[in-house]
């Protein structure tokens, strides 16, 4: 520690001599103890040791305005050893009522998509970027995504899946930290902290635009091959 303080004193003294402003240095013989522990060690999300613990934190969350209108939080569901994680945008009306992800019409379609690659949804961890329903099912706003994304990231860290299927623009942009369109992100294998990410359309979009079902099927088959 003493060597580090000496280096810091030398650096600050150099900056003062270069005219970058006056720097007040402690006189020799006086030291200042750093705060006990890591500055981020008290973050409850990073301290969560299981997906269930993350869900418990989500249930009490008031980090953004979405908590004000929710009936239930929707943290996600699936086995702790899931090899595939499916990430959507946010809960809809039925999800808000039940506390379960992808159980409305879009969820029924997702179940069929997974079954088509011989992967029952019970073997997949399914979740959303935001864990509370946005009003009128609108797209989550930037600050809402920012408040909720740490829960998603911690879930993925704990699950350590082999592949992530990002369904819809919000999921893809959040995981990949980009503003590129969904169309620009498809047909490529991306990475989230080393885990392959396949980008495709959200099932709700397929209900509105059936002609997107074929490219979605191609994307899902790509994810399936990565699981092999």
């Amino acid at each position: 520690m003493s060597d580090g303080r000496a280096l810091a004193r030398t650096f600050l003294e150099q900056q003062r001599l270069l005219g970058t402003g006056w720097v007040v240095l402690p006189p020799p013989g006086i030291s200042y103890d750093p705060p006990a522990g890591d500055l981020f060690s008290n973050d409850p999300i990073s301290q969560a040791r299981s997906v269930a613990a993350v869900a418990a934190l989500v249930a009490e969350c008031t980090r953004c305005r979405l908590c004000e209108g929710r009936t239930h939080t929707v943290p996600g569901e699936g086995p702790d050893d899931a090899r595939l994680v499916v990430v959507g945008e946010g809960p809809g009306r039925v999800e808000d009522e039940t506390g379960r992800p992808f159980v409305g019409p879009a969820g029924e379609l997702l179940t069929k998509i997974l079954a088509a690659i011989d992967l029952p949804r019970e073997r997949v961890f399914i979740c959303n970027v935001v864990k509370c329903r946005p009003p009128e099912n609108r797209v989550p706003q930037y600050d809402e995504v920012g408040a909720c994304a740490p829960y998603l990231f911690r879930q993925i860290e704990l699950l350590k899946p082999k592949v992530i299927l990002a369904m819809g623009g919000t999921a893809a942009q959040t995981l990949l930290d980009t503003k590129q369109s969904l169309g620009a992100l498809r047909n490529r294998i991306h990475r989230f902290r080393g885990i392959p990410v396949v980008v495709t359309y959200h099932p709700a979009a397929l209900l509105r635009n059936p002609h997107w079902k074929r490219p979605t099927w191609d994307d899902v088959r790509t994810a399936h091959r990565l699981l092999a």
Side-chain angles (χ1 to χ4, degrees), residues 39-119:
L39 290 175
F40 301 100
S41 62
N42 293 324
D43 175 23
I45 300 176
S46 64
Q47 288 185 329
R49 293 294 177 258
S50 67
V51 174
V54 176
L57 293 173
V58 169
E60 302 296 327
C61 182
T62 57
R63 292 164 65 101
C64 77
R65 67 183 70 85
L66 293 183
C67 69
E68 299 170 3
R70 72 189 180 206
T71 303
H72 294 98
T73 56
V74 187
E77 65 180 23
D80 290 347
D81 61 349
R83 298 170 69 239
L84 175 66
V85 169
V86 173
V87 182
E89 179 178 278
R93 178 184 59 82
V94 180
E95 289 80 5
D96 178 60
E97 292 173 350
T98 62
R100 299 182 59 209
F102 282 89
V103 291
E108 294 175 1
L109 180 55
L110 173 61
T111 300
K112 293 178 181 178
I113 292 171
L114 294 173
I117 57 171
D118 297 321
L119 197 60

Side-chain angles (χ1 to χ4, degrees), residues 116-137:
I117 57 171
D118 297 321
L119 197 60
R121 68 174 285 158
E122 292 77 17
R123 290 168 50 194
V124 179
F125 192 87
I126 302 172
C127 59
N128 288 295
V129 172
V130 296
K131 311 302 188 183
C132 298
R133 180 192 181 192
E136 305 300 324
N137 293 347

